[in-house]
C-alpha cells in the first residue's frame, strides 16, 4: 500500500473543560472582583474550555466582569424545565440565555439529596436546557454505600438511563457528563485516578451501547469531587478524563487558575 493510501481514523478531539461550581458563594461585587483577579492570572488557550457557574444573582455582574466575547464562559447551577409560569423561586433556560449563560449544571448531588430532585425531573431539565441552546453539565455519581457494595457503575448507569432517556444523537452531542462520586464531594477524599477512569469508561460504554461509537468517542466526561491543584495533574493526565468540575478549590483564584493551567498544558 502506498503511503498516500494509508487510512487515518481521526480520533475526535475532546477539548478539556474545567468548570467552577461556586455553589451558594459570592455576591455580585465579590463575583466581579474574583473574575478580575482570575483574568489576570490566566492566559486563554484553545486547549482548554473554562466555565464559571456563579449563583443566579451574580450572573449579570459576572458577565459584565468577563466582558463581551470572553474566552471564559458562564453557566448556571440549576434551571426549571418550563419556560415560564407560576413556579415561585425558579429560573428558566431562556432567562439564563439572556444572562449570557451557555452551560447549566443539572442534577448535582446536592440538588438530588437536599432538594429531592429525582431522575425524571433531571431528565426534563436536560431537555429544557438543550431546547434553549444551553449545554447541560449532567452530574451523576454513586453514594459511599453503593461504592462499598460494588455498585458504583450500576448506580451511575441507572441515573444516566433515566436522565438521558430519549435524547437524539445530535442532542447528546451537546451534553457534558460529570462523574461526581457523592462520597468525594466536599470531603477532601477524591477518587483515585483509577477509580475515576473505571467509571468514565463504563459511562462511555453506556453511551456507545445506547447511541453509537461516534457519540461515545466525542462526549466529554468530567470528574468532580475534591479536585485540587495537588491531584488535578494525575486526574487530568488520563485520556479518559476530559476535565473537572471543581467546587471548593474554585473559590480561590490561585487554586482555580492552577487547575486551569494544568489542563491547558496536559499532554502538551
Ligand atoms: C461539586 O460540588 O461539584 C464539587 C466537585 O465539590 P468539591 O470540589 O468541593 O468536592
Amino acid at each position: 500500500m502506498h503511503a498516500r493510501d494509508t487510512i487515518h481514523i481521526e480520533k475526535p478531539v475532546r477539548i478539556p473543560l474545567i468548570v467552577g461550581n461556586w455553589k451558594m458563594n459570592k455576591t455580585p461585587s465579590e463575583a466581579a472582583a474574583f473574575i478580575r483577579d482570575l483574568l489576570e492570572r490566566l492566559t486563554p488557550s484553545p486547549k482548554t474550555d473554562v466555565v464559571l457557574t456563579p449563583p443566579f444573582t451574580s450572573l449579570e455582574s459576572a458577565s459584565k466582569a468577563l466582558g463581551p466575547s470572553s474566552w471564559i464562559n458562564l453557566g448556571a447551577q440549576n434551571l426549571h424545565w418550563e419556560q415560564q409560569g407560576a413556579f415561585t423561586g425558579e429560573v428558566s433556560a431562556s432567562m439564563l440565555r439572556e444572562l449570557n449563560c451557555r452551560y447549566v449544571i443539572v442534577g448535582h448531588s446536592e440538588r438530588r439529596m437536599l432538594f429531592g430532585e429525582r431522575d425524571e425531573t433531571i431528565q426534563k431539565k436536560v431537555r429544557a436546557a438543550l431546547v434553549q441552546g444551553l449545554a447541560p453539565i449532567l452530574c451523576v455519581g454513586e453514594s459511599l454505600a453503593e461504592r462499598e457494595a460494588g455498585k458504583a457503575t450500576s448506580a451511575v448507569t441507572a441515573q444516566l438511563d433515566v436522565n438521558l432517556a430519549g435524547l437524539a444523537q445530535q442532542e447528546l452531542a451537546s451534553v457534558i457528563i460529570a462523574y461526581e462520586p457523592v462520597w468525594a464531594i466536599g470531603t477532601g477524599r477524591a477518587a483515585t485516578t483509577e477509580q475515576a477512569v473505571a467509571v468514565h469508561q463504563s459511562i462511555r460504554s453506556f453511551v456507545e451501547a445506547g447511541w453509537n461509537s461516534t457519540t461515545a468517542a466525542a462526549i466529554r466526561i468530567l470528574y468532580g469531587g475534591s479536585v485540587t491543584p495537588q491531584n488535578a495533574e494525575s486526574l487530568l493526565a488520563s485520556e479518559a478524563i476530559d476535565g473537572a468540575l471543581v467546587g471548593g478549590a474554585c473559590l480561590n483564584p490561585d487554586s482555580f487558575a492552577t487547575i486551569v493551567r494544568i489542563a491547558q498544558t496536559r499532554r502538551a
Side-chain angles (χ1 to χ4, degrees):
M1 193 195 255
H2 194 276
R4 232 186 8 233
D5 302 327
T6 311
I7 298 166
H8 289 287
I9 299 175
E10 295 277 334
K11 273 211 308 188
V13 181
R14 299 192 300 263
I15 297 174
L17 170 60
I18 305 295
V19 183
N21 177 10
W22 292 9
K23 310 195 186 191
M24 198 172 72
N25 292 290
K26 299 195 191 297
T27 64
S29 58
E30 290 166 348
F34 176 92
I35 287 171
R36 282 194 294 271
D37 186 338
L38 187 67
L39 287 172
E40 279 180 16
R41 292 169 190 269
L42 286 173
T43 311
S45 158
K47 288 187 175 166
T48 302
D49 292 334
V50 178
V51 175
L52 301 177
T53 65
F56 294 138
T57 46
S58 293
L59 282 169
E60 187 163 11
S61 90
S63 174
K64 284 191 183 135
L66 286 171
S69 59
S70 170
W71 67 280
I72 296 182
N73 280 294
L74 264 191
Q77 301 171 19
N78 185 26
L79 82 168
H80 192 272
W81 58 88
E82 293 290 349
Q83 284 276 15
Q84 58 186 44
F87 302 102
T88 304
E90 295 292 331
V91 170
S92 74
S94 55
M95 294 169 181
L96 298 175
R97 278 300 301 236
E98 263 198 56
L99 287 171
N100 297 326
C101 287
R102 292 289 171 270
Y103 296 80
V104 61
I105 296 174
V106 178
H108 190 279
S109 64
E110 286 155 13
R111 302 266 353 141
R112 292 175 188 259
M113 289 188 311
L114 305 175
F115 302 98
E117 280 196 14
R118 292 177 304 111
D119 281 320
E120 291 74 14
T121 315
I122 292 162
Q123 188 235 11
K124 289 202 252 180
K125 292 185 175 201
V126 168
R127 283 196 162 278
L130 290 167
V131 166
Q132 288 300 319
L134 291 170
I137 301 168
L138 170 64
C139 300
V140 290
E142 81 285 0
S143 65
L144 185 58
E146 286 165 332
R147 173 152 289 268
E148 287 176 346
K151 293 184 175 151
T153 298
S154 58
V156 166
T157 50
Q159 289 171 335
L160 290 172
D161 207 26
V162 181
N163 300 162
L164 300 176
L167 291 191
Q169 181 184 339
Q170 321 82 269
E171 293 173 313
L172 193 58
S174 301
V175 175
I176 292 137
I177 296 173
Y179 167 54
E180 297 213 304
V182 176
W183 48 269
I185 295 180
T187 58
R189 183 186 161 196
T192 63
T193 303
E194 293 69 28
Q195 286 172 324
V197 166
V199 179
H200 282 225
Q201 284 168 344
S202 62
I203 293 173
R204 222 173 277 290
S205 303
F206 171 88
V207 172
E208 180 166 6
W211 286 266
N212 52 48
S213 55
T214 313
T215 312
I219 196 164
R220 287 192 283 189
I221 306 174
L222 316 183
Y223 168 77
S226 297
V227 174
T228 62
Q230 290 69 42
N231 60 25
E233 189 100 51
S234 154
L235 288 159
L236 296 174
S238 166
E239 292 230 8
I241 299 177
D242 303 315
L245 178 47
V246 186
C250 83
L251 297 174
N252 176 303
D254 183 40
S255 307
F256 190 63
T258 304
I259 294 168
V260 171
R261 277 195 297 270
I262 290 169
Q264 288 176 330
T265 53
R266 83 170 192 168
R267 292 193 292 266

